[in-house]
Amino acid sequence: MKTIIIGSGNVAYHLAKAFTQNNMKVHQIFGRNEIELSKISTEFDIPYSTEKLDEAELYIIAVSDSSVENVSELIKNENVLVAHTSGSLPKEILKGNYRKASFYALQTFSKTKDLDYSKIPFFIEAEDQIDEKSLFELASIISDNVEIATYEKRKYIHLTAVFACNFVNHLFARAKEISDAQALNFNYFLPLINETVEKINHLEPKLAQTGPAVRGDERILKLHEDLIKNEEQLKIYKTMNESIRKMYE
């Protein structure tokens, strides 16, 4: 299908890269940020525009969730397929008389980090089976892990992803605050972080839990609380330990 990507952020960048690496032509990349569009255009040899949205058969809207509805109104052609890339929005958020779909990749995307696209799960939803099949085949060129998923399933996938990725990364950032405050090299902790993630490839996360809270070591918990002077860090420490306690009661 003649395809246009709308957006210039992390998801748009990686979709453009994934398509290009798999010899799939992107007709245009469209958006507001000319600097970022120009970079994507140069890297992947894709024409870009901030003014005129070209005609296409498939439009993939890869913008922030709060912008999807407004951006979808830019597409006036009725005889096209439009898919957003959000994990938390229904396809009905798209405002137009075209055919609506979702094309959700379950991954955290940063432009500076290379990814193995073949391992990324893609979740597809469309209004009819023909469009569903087309998007499934498109995603299957990129990934070995593609499924059809209703919005009901997809929104819980996204919720789980927030716990598994966004919250965990926030804890890494808070951990680095503590290490920086004590002039500790954060690289000390990378083998620990890597082993923690690697372990859950082989064990249920609940079975992999270690640390003073699961052991009920009140002396160490109190020692740590006394060391923490930052109010937000202390709140997180207490909340997480209480959650661990309750899980293993």
Side-chain angles (χ1 to χ4, degrees):
M1 288 185 287
K2 188 176 181 181
T3 302
I4 289 177
I5 297 173
I6 301 177
S8 60
N10 293 325
V11 177
Y13 171 88
H14 278 283
L15 283 179
K17 185 174 183 177
F19 288 159
T20 302
Q21 285 183 348
N22 286 279
N23 299 314
M24 298 156 62
K25 180 177 174 58
V26 177
H27 178 74
Q28 181 190 54
I29 186 157
F30 179 89
R32 294 179 302 179
N33 190 325
E34 186 161 11
I35 293 174
E36 294 302 317
L37 288 172
S38 178
K39 290 178 182 177
I40 296 171
S41 174
T42 300
E43 185 170 352
F44 304 120
D45 192 25
I46 301 171
Y48 79 90
S49 179
T50 60
E51 298 177 359
K52 184 180 184 299
L53 185 60
D54 284 353
E55 296 289 323
E57 297 168 277
L58 170 63
Y59 295 85
I60 298 178
I61 299 177
V63 299
S64 64
D65 285 6
S66 60
S67 300
V68 169
E69 184 173 356
N70 288 338
V71 169
S72 73
E73 294 177 341
L74 298 173
I75 303 166
K76 306 301 183 183
N77 193 330
E78 296 182 6
N79 189 32
V80 296
L81 177 59
V82 179
H84 68 64
T85 59
S86 170
S88 60
L89 297 176
K91 60 185 182 304
E92 289 77 18
I93 195 73
L94 300 169
K95 301 302 179 186
N97 294 322
Y98 39 70
R99 307 185 318 274
K100 301 174 177 65
S102 65
F103 191 80
Y104 173 52
L106 177 58
Q107 186 54 276
T108 174
F109 293 101
S110 297
K111 291 180 180 178
T112 55
K113 178 66 171 63
D114 289 334
L115 292 168
D116 182 351
Y117 301 114
S118 68
K119 295 180 179 178
I120 298 175
F122 277 76
F123 297 95
I124 306 301
E125 183 185 19
E127 291 178 317
D128 64 63
Q129 289 185 342
I130 294 174
D131 287 333
E132 209 166 68
K133 184 174 183 291
S134 295
L135 290 176
F136 190 97
E137 290 174 350
L138 178 66
S140 295
I141 296 172
I142 301 169
S143 172
D144 298 329
N145 190 357
V146 184
E147 291 186 22
I148 304 298
T150 64
Y151 172 56
E152 188 67 20
K153 180 176 180 178
R154 184 161 40 86
K155 65 185 179 182
Y156 282 105
I157 291 171
H158 190 253
L159 172 62
T160 305
V162 169
F163 273 80
C165 173
N166 304 139
F167 288 175
V168 172
N169 188 73
H170 180 67
L171 291 177
F172 293 155
R174 287 296 187 182
K176 192 171 187 301
E177 283 182 342
I178 296 171
S179 69
D180 287 352
Q182 299 302 318
L184 302 173
N185 187 338
F186 191 69
N187 287 339
Y188 294 164
F189 306 96
L190 296 183
L192 174 65
I193 291 168
N194 292 334
E195 175 59 19
T196 302
V197 174
E198 173 60 23
K199 192 188 294 185
I200 62 170
N201 285 288
H202 310 285
L203 285 174
E204 286 282 335
K206 188 173 180 179
L207 298 177
Q209 188 70 51
T210 61
V214 75
R215 296 194 305 268
D217 193 331
E218 297 297 331
R219 185 180 68 84
I220 298 299
L221 292 171
K222 180 64 168 61
L223 171 64
H224 287 173
E225 289 175 11
D226 290 343
L227 289 174
I228 300 171
K229 307 306 179 187
N230 180 288
E231 184 178 336
E232 281 301 312
Q233 292 170 2
L234 183 59
K235 186 190 303 182
I236 292 168
Y237 188 83
K238 288 181 174 181
T239 300
M240 293 298 294
N241 283 322
E242 182 62 22
S243 181
I244 291 170
R245 279 197 191 101
K246 287 181 177 178
M247 179 170 279
Y248 294 91
E249 283 178 350

